[in-house]
Amino acid sequence: MSRITLIDPASATGMVGDQLQQINGAFGVVPNMFKAVANSPAALASMWGSFGALGGGKISAKLGEQIAVAIADRNNCNYCLAAHTALGRKAGATAEDMAEAQAGRSGDPGTAAVLQFVLKVVEDRANLATTDVDALRSAGFDDEEIVEIIAHIALNLFTNYINVALDVPVDFPGVKLMRATR
């Protein structure tokens, strides 16, 4: 049971109603996370706008979902782990790709470099050394992509915190967290 009211899209009006219709159009349903965030029109606009903006960025959808599952696992966010695993599969990732990303690994050197960077940012609260950023450049990422990766981190922290703090019911196929078993 959620710790906050989940807004019914059928009764939502104004900007919230419009955005929930857009979300329904994108997903074919309004996921519970958005119903929780819809309690604040400003927060919903921020979250939905961020998803849209990053969806049009340089980082591929697959890599964005791999970033998301690595962060979700570190933050014990069952909701985001389930949602982004499913979305990653739709973006072309294999089940193995997503499980490896959840563990912070990848057989692809560029993806591995991104996941290592992402986990360092999350675990060390962004206290990085120049060498951490340089490692991404060495893996082929430019400044635009580096900033975009940090934007993905910020959005995923926002969604993780919403779902964990408010105990939003998971409405995607469940995925087991790995962090507790490491």
Side-chain angles (χ1 to χ4, degrees), residues 78-103:
N78 288 299
Y79 192 99
C80 288
L81 180 59
H84 291 289
T85 297
L87 293 169
R89 296 299 308 275
K90 286 184 178 183
T94 66
E96 182 180 348
D97 290 337
M98 295 311 289
E100 285 293 293
Q102 182 183 346

Side-chain angles (χ1 to χ4, degrees), residues 3 11 23 40 45 66 100 114 126 144 161:
R3 295 179 179 133
S11 62
I23 293 164
S40 166
Q66 290 171 299
E100 285 293 293
V114 168
E144 179 181 353
Y161 289 178

Side-chain angles (χ1 to χ4, degrees), residues 22 41 44 49 66 81 100 132 136 141:
Q22 291 172 21
L44 181 61
Q66 290 171 299
L81 180 59
E100 285 293 293
D132 297 316
L136 276 182
F141 294 91

Side-chain angles (χ1 to χ4, degrees), residues 101-177:
Q102 182 183 346
R105 299 185 300 258
S106 175
D108 173 74
T111 300
V114 168
L115 294 174
Q116 182 178 4
F117 177 83
V118 164
L119 293 179
K120 181 152 183 61
V121 170
V122 171
E123 292 168 358
D124 294 347
R125 299 188 182 270
N127 289 306
L128 302 176
T130 301
T131 55
D132 297 316
V133 176
D134 289 344
L136 276 182
R137 284 194 185 99
S138 294
F141 294 91
D142 64 22
D143 289 351
E144 179 181 353
E145 292 163 316
I146 293 167
V147 170
E148 195 172 308
I149 289 165
I150 295 170
H152 274 274
I153 295 167
L155 176 57
N156 282 284
L157 290 174
F158 178 22
T159 62
N160 286 187
Y161 289 178
I162 287 288
N163 290 304
V164 173
L166 301 178
D167 198 21
V168 176
V170 178
D171 50 357
F172 289 87
V175 176
K176 186 176 179 180
L177 291 164

